[in-house]
């Protein structure tokens, strides 16, 4: 998923009278992965074999991970793609939750609170399992780098002194600029 600075554009509304923000091309197609998968294409049928879909290490070996590490990865990615106010998980793909009624929402910079509640349940479960068995989670180095980057961004947000509006004050129409810097 691209950073906010690369996926948001200011464009005219459909009637051409006002400007609004759209989220376009929010994801990146991995051409390296596509090239790697081609090695597993059958010369007889032209179909990719099942081996093409496994994640691999730089040495070409199949990457293995524990189920709890996979849940942590999924939860952390969802956490890091919350909207600017940190409330809903942003819709990055073309079809949020496969809900056809909301297919246009990703382009309108949409996010969903149900996904945030699911995220909270998932991370609560991961913490419970880790605490219960008192064992560390081994995560890929790429995820460790991402955790470090997100922690630094959250530290930057905290250092900026931003505070949410008081209860009942409502959310301002314009998202404060500091919320786009993390």
């Amino acid at each position: 998923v691209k950073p906010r600075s690369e996926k948001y554009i200011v464009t005219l509304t459909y009637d051409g009278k006002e400007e609004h923000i759209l989220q376009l091309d929010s994801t990146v197609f991995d051409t390296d992965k596509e090239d790697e998968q081609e090695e597993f294409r059958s010369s007889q049928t032209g179909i990719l074999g099942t081996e093409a879909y496994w994640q691999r290490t730089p040495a070409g070996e199949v990457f293995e991970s524990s189920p709890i590490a996979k849940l942590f990865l999924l939860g952390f990615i969802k956490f890091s793609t919350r909207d600017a106010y940190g409330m809903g998980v942003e819709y990055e793909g073309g079809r949020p939750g496969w809900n056809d009624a909301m297919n246009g929402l990703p382009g309108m910079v949409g996010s969903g609170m149900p996904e945030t509640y699911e995220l909270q349940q998932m991370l609560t479960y991961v913490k419970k399992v880790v605490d219960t068995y008192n064992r560390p989670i081994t995560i890929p180095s790429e995820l460790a780098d991402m955790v470090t980057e997100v922690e630094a961004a959250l530290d930057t947000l905290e250092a900026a002194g931003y505070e949410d509006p008081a209860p009942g004050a409502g959310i301002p129409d314009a998202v404060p600029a500091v919320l786009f810097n993390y």
Side-chain angles (χ1 to χ4, degrees):
V1 175
K2 294 179 184 175
R4 289 184 178 123
S5 62
E6 294 178 23
K7 64 184 176 182
Y8 292 171
I9 64 162
V10 177
T11 185
L12 290 174
T13 56
Y14 294 107
D15 61 7
K17 296 179 181 178
E18 298 179 37
E19 290 185 331
H20 66 155
I21 296 174
L22 286 180
Q23 173 181 253
L24 301 174
D25 299 323
S26 61
T27 56
V28 178
F29 186 76
D30 189 348
T31 55
D32 293 339
K33 179 67 175 177
E34 183 183 42
D35 293 343
E36 178 185 313
Q37 288 178 325
E38 283 300 319
E39 297 174 20
F40 300 97
R41 186 173 300 279
S42 168
S43 61
Q44 295 175 341
T45 65
I47 297 173
L48 290 175
T50 56
E51 286 288 312
Y53 300 103
W54 292 98
Q55 181 68 34
R56 299 190 179 280
T57 66
E61 300 169 358
V62 172
F63 176 81
E64 295 180 357
S65 181
S66 68
I68 199 69
K70 290 177 184 179
L71 284 175
F72 176 75
L73 176 128
L74 178 62
F76 192 78
I77 288 174
K78 286 180 178 274
F79 174 83
S80 65
T81 57
R82 291 173 302 137
D83 62 26
Y85 281 109
M87 295 176 63
V89 175
E90 290 182 333
Y91 294 136
E92 306 292 351
R95 294 188 167 83
W98 295 100
N99 180 349
D100 288 339
M102 296 183 357
N103 280 348
L105 200 54
M108 294 186 288
V109 194
S111 62
M113 285 304 296
E115 290 79 4
T116 304
Y117 297 126
E118 292 169 358
L119 168 63
Q120 190 270 336
Q121 287 180 324
M122 182 188 331
L123 292 178
T124 298
Y125 174 77
V126 169
K127 181 167 178 8
K128 177 183 166 191
V129 169
V130 169
D131 289 347
T132 299
Y133 295 101
N134 197 24
R135 290 173 40 190
I137 299 175
T138 303
I139 61 173
S141 60
E142 297 87 352
L143 178 58
D145 293 344
M146 184 177 174
V147 169
T148 301
E149 284 186 41
V150 170
E151 284 180 334
L154 291 172
D155 289 345
T156 300
L157 178 64
E158 186 176 11
Y162 173 78
E163 292 186 17
D164 287 327
I171 296 177
D173 290 336
V175 178
V178 69
L179 294 181
F180 283 97
N181 296 330
Y182 80 98

